Amino acid sequence: MSTVTQPSVPENLKSFLSAPKKLLIGGQWVDAKSGKTFDVYDPATDQVVAQAAEGDAADVELAVAAARKAFDSGAWSKMTASQRSRIIWKIGDLIEDNADELAAMETIDNGKPIGVAKAADVALAADMFRYMAGWATKIEGNTIPLNVPYVPGGQFHAYTLKEPVGVVGQIIPWNFPLLMAAWKLGPALATGCTIVLKPAEQTPLSAIRLGELCHEAGLPDGVVNIITGFGETAGAAIAAHDDVDKVAFTGSTEVGKIIIKAAAGNLKKVTLELGGKSPNVIYDDADIETAIAGAADAIFFNQGQVCSAGSRLFVQSGIYDEVVAGVSEIASNMKVGSGFDASTQMGPLVSREQFDRVSGYLKAGLDAGAEASAGGAAIDQPGYFVQPTVLKNASPEMSVVQEEIFGPVVAAMPFTSDTEIACQANDTTYGLAAGIWTRDISKAHKLARQVKAGTVWVNCYSIFDAALPFGGYKQSGWGREMGHAALENYLQTKSVCVSL
Ligand code: NAP
Ligand code: MG
């Protein structure tokens, strides 16, 4: 049975929470021009814990101007690559030095268990800056031999330059607040771009602290500007701004489509990391115990608020009952509570809105005939807690199978043959990730090729690394985050041709 415990906020976080939280524009911390602020909630208690400045279009205007000035001055893009690399590396070091504080900030803002915040969010964020620091000195063009048919005997020296795309708008979600900021800022900084970053309204805290750390690391004024505020105002102004050269967005597919339309005005470049409904496939020849634990982790990690969560569990029919029982047992025994309690395995959902959304899906799934073999309801307690839930007897047309719930809810379905499973796995508009569990390596590689997904995990799930590209097929997005691939989003290629 799930139980809920009350949180206690670490002392070191209290002073940060009570200090005014402002916008970072051109190296200065300033109030929103409107003077407005908005409340920041602790999802474990449903209490307001801080206020953040509510930036809107007027503040975005100033932030874009500051980013443009910093870009055009060359203070960042024309700094030597090795100097840039050192500053980016230093940001990673400072994240690590402040790991406890940042982890506590993620817990109070997002709800996630503090141990997870430190081991995953904070550690991966530090790693991302260090990985991208390495690339700053390795951005190279090519020399290209020419054979121009209409200039017989012509001799040319042709080469390409890789140049930063310019001023970049970055809009991020609330599920991994610091890490999403790192995924976005890392490659943009490595390539010499300047940035206006908007964190999600639910989780503005760690981005503000990261802004402070960027300056402590020696980042010139105006290179990173941070506008806290709402999507419909601040976010929309960034996406539509004529002096923003590129927008990078992570969030819902619905808002991704709005971003594309807004970007059309000046044809700014767009990359999108959107939703998912990822299949997790367990064959009957898998190491069943490992697969059961992996399937539970694939959906319950981060309260299920993971774009690549394994939310459709396909189990070969002979082991279906055993696997469903195993995942359900893990779910039923999970300790749900405050992220500040060291024994907590699952925290609250991020917001009242998300709580209502997930509760709505639970009701819809049960009404449609799915059966909860674990969980199935919200937890009657202050804070946005829901039970880790396993739905069996789910069928393909149900909303819980088709739509992204973004909560700790997995729909389990049996499959019989190898040919059938590829179709079932791909029966969604999304294509972000997939999991495959089998001891037959050939079977694993075959299905990995058939699945339309940007990431395929075999005998593991949710393995992320700064070096490994991540992004979506189909309606899960455009472009890739992380790895060498992420740099391309922030570079453009200039061909230079010289007659000798
Ligand atoms: P969302 O609305 O897509 O939010 C993502 C970011 O976009 C936030 O910073 C948001 O700002 C901003 N935004 C919202 N409307 C905008 C607009 N018109 N123009 C520019 N920016 C805008 O996601 P959500 O409402 O937080 O969550 C809804 C669902 O999205 C979730 O249930 C889940 O299914 C999905 N989601 C996916 C991911 C992912 O990693 N792929 C992450 C989060 C959510 P505000 O937060 O300030 O409104
Ligand atoms: Mg929103």
Side-chain angles (χ1 to χ4, degrees), residues 10 63 193 299 356 389 431 447 463:
C193 293
I299 185 65
D356 290 342
T389 295
L447 185 59
I463 298 299

Side-chain angles (χ1 to χ4, degrees), residues 150-202:
Y150 53 84
V151 188
Q155 287 195 47
F156 299 93
H157 171 50
Y159 61 96
T160 55
L161 292 172
K162 290 287 188 185
E163 297 185 335
V165 80
V167 173
V168 174
Q170 302 186 320
I171 301 170
I172 56 173
W174 42 257
N175 51 346
F176 295 90
L178 178 71
L179 184 58
M180 291 302 101
W183 281 20
K184 291 281 183 280
L185 291 179
L189 290 173
T191 50
C193 293
T194 61
I195 298 124
V196 178
L197 175 77
K198 193 201 89 65
E201 69 192 62
Q202 298 84 351

Side-chain angles (χ1 to χ4, degrees), residues 198-213:
K198 193 201 89 65
E201 69 192 62
Q202 298 84 351
T203 55
L205 301 179
S206 57
I208 295 169
R209 186 71 184 108
L210 182 59
E212 293 173 357
L213 297 179

Side-chain angles (χ1 to χ4, degrees), residues 172 174 198 201-202 229 231 235 249 251-252 274 307 354 357 404:
I172 56 173
W174 42 257
K198 193 201 89 65
E201 69 192 62
Q202 298 84 351
F249 170 79
S252 60
L274 307 176
C307 48
Q354 194 63 13
R357 204 180 131 88
E404 183 174 49

Side-chain angles (χ1 to χ4, degrees), residues 362-381:
L362 285 175
K363 185 173 180 317
L366 297 174
D367 286 351
E371 187 190 326
S373 57
I379 298 176
D380 186 16
Q381 180 93 20

Side-chain angles (χ1 to χ4, degrees), residues 293-308:
D297 202 43
I299 185 65
F300 300 133
F301 172 56
N302 213 44
Q303 297 68 246
Q305 300 166 138
V306 182
C307 48
S308 53

